[in-house]
C-alpha cells in the first residue's frame, strides 16, 4: 500500500513566524501537488513539482521536491492569518497512475 | 469561467435513507472525480470518470454507492441505504487532462443520524 505521510498533523503559530510542513513516502513519484483547503471549500492547487530537487516559489511559499522524488516540503516565510487552512499533498506514483493523497496538515496562524 | 458546481451544500438524513449529490464540472473537462473526505482526513477517491466511462471505482462501496455520468458532462452520486459512517464531505473535481490540475467544487456535507 502506498502512503503519503504528512507532518505535522496540526500546527498553530503566531503571525510572522516561519514554518515547514512535510510530505513523505517510501514510493517514487512522477509528480507531486500541494493543495490548500479552507473551511467549507474544496482544495485549491498551489503548485505541481515534477523534477527531483525542484524548488518552486509562490510569494512567501517555497516548495521543494526531494532529489529521489519520494518526499516534498512546503516552507512558509512570515506566516499570515490568510495562510490558515488544511495543506494537502497529492502524488502520482511511478508504478501506477492513481493519485494518492496525504491526510493533510492543519495550519492556524494567530494574529 | 464557471467553476465546478455541486448541490446540495448540506444534507441531513436518517440512517437507511437515500441521498443523491449532483456535480457539474468545468466546461470541457473530460475527467470527473468523486471524493469522500471525512473530517480530519485527506480526500479518498470513490470514482473517476473519463467522459462517460469509469476509469477507477475500486474504492466505491458498490453495495450502497452508485454514480453515473450518462452524457459525459454532469454526474450524480447516490448512497442507498446510508450508514452513520457515510457522514462526510463529498467533493467533486474535474480536470482538463487526467491527473492534471484538479478543480474542486465546494463539496456536499452529509450528516447521517
Amino acid at each position: 500500500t502506498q502512503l503519503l505521510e504528512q507532518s505535522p498533523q496540526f500546527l498553530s503559530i503566531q503571525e510572522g513566524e516561519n514554518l515547514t510542513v512535510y510530505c513523505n513516502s517510501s514510493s517514487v513519484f512522477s509528480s507531486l501537488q500541494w493543495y490548500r483547503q479552507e473551511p467549507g471549500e474544496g482544495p485549491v492547487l498551489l503548485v505541481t513539482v515534477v523534477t527531483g530537487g525542484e524548488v518552486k516559489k509562490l510569494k512567501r511559499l517555497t516548495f521543494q521536491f526531494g532529489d529521489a522524488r519520494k518526499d516534498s516540503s512546503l516552507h512558509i516565510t512570515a506566516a499570515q492569518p490568510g495562510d490558515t487552512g488544511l495543506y494537502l499533498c497529492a502524488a502520482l506514483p511511478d508504478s501506477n497512475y492513481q493519485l494518492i493523497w496525504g491526510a493533510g496538515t492543519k495550519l492556524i496562524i494567530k494574529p | 469561467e464557471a467553476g465546478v458546481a455541486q448541490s446540495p451544500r448540506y444534507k441531513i438524513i436518517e440512517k437507511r435513507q437515500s441521498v443523491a449529490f449532483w456535480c457539474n464540472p468545468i466546461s470541457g473537462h473530460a475527467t470527473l472525480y468523486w471524493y469522500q473526505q471525512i473530517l480530519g482526513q485527506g480526500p479518498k477517491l470513490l470514482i473517476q470518470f473519463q467522459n462517460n466511462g469509469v476509469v477507477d471505482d475500486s474504492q466505491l462501496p458498490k453495495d450502497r454507492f452508485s454514480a453515473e455520468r450518462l452524457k459525459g458532462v454532469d454526474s450524480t452520486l447516490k448512497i442507498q441505504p446510508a450508514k452513520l459512517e457515510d457522514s462526510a464531505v463529498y467533493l467533486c473535481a474535474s480536470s482538463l487532462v487526467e491527473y492534471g490540475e484538479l478543480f474542486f467544487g465546494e463539496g456536499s456535507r452529509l450528516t447521517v443520524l
Side-chain angles (χ1 to χ4, degrees):
Chain A
T1 303
Q2 293 161 322
L3 293 174
L4 269 179
E5 296 185 357
Q6 292 193 244
S7 60
Q9 288 183 309
F10 179 79
L11 185 60
S12 178
I13 62 172
Q14 292 293 136
E15 180 178 3
E17 294 183 9
N18 302 331
L19 66 107
T20 303
V21 298
Y22 301 92
C23 176
N24 297 311
S25 178
S26 58
S27 300
V28 178
F29 301 113
S30 58
S31 66
L32 187 144
Q33 299 171 335
W34 284 94
Y35 288 80
R36 178 169 66 211
Q37 184 176 22
E38 298 185 16
E41 304 289 332
V44 175
L45 181 70
L46 297 174
V47 77
T48 300
V49 286
V50 297
T51 305
E54 182 176 5
V55 176
K56 282 192 172 179
K57 292 191 175 183
L58 185 65
K59 297 183 180 178
R60 294 175 293 98
L61 278 60
T62 301
F63 304 85
Q64 184 161 7
F65 201 14
D67 291 342
R69 293 185 288 122
K70 294 182 178 182
D71 51 72
S72 181
S73 64
L74 159 57
H75 181 80
I76 301 179
T77 303
Q80 299 178 0
D83 296 327
T84 292
L86 179 68
Y87 287 80
L88 293 158
C89 62
L92 208 54
D94 267 358
S95 57
N96 67 69
Y97 280 87
Q98 291 185 338
L99 195 66
I100 61 172
W101 290 80
T105 292
K106 186 172 183 179
L107 177 63
I108 294 177
I109 309 300
K110 295 176 285 187
Chain B
E1 179 182 81
V4 176
Q6 289 190 246
S7 67
R9 285 295 310 273
Y10 305 94
K11 189 74 177 179
I12 300 174
I13 61 173
E14 301 279 335
K15 60 183 178 183
R16 291 186 290 273
Q17 287 186 324
S18 62
V19 63
F21 302 112
W22 175 82
C23 171
N24 193 28
I26 292 173
S27 178
H29 282 197
T31 312
L32 185 149
Y33 314 78
W34 281 103
Y35 283 93
Q36 180 193 59
Q37 187 176 28
I38 293 173
L39 188 64
Q41 299 182 17
K44 170 189 168 185
L45 179 69
L46 293 175
I47 190 167
Q48 177 186 336
F49 293 96
Q50 184 71 17
N51 296 307
N52 61 349
V54 175
V55 173
D56 183 357
D57 65 355
S58 57
Q59 297 191 89
L60 186 73
K62 297 180 185 65
D63 57 335
R64 298 183 301 106
F65 286 63
S66 64
E68 60 184 13
R69 193 185 184 197
L70 293 175
K71 296 181 180 179
V73 180
D74 58 346
S75 176
T76 302
L77 176 70
K78 295 180 181 177
I79 307 175
Q80 182 178 14
K83 293 185 175 182
L84 296 177
E85 59 261 34
D86 298 332
S87 293
V89 175
Y90 290 86
L91 293 165
C92 179
S94 69
S95 61
L96 186 60
V97 296
E98 195 173 2
Y99 301 121
E101 177 179 0
L102 270 63
F103 293 83
F104 285 85
E106 294 178 313
S108 295
R109 180 177 295 277
L110 174 66
T111 301
V112 182
L113 303 176

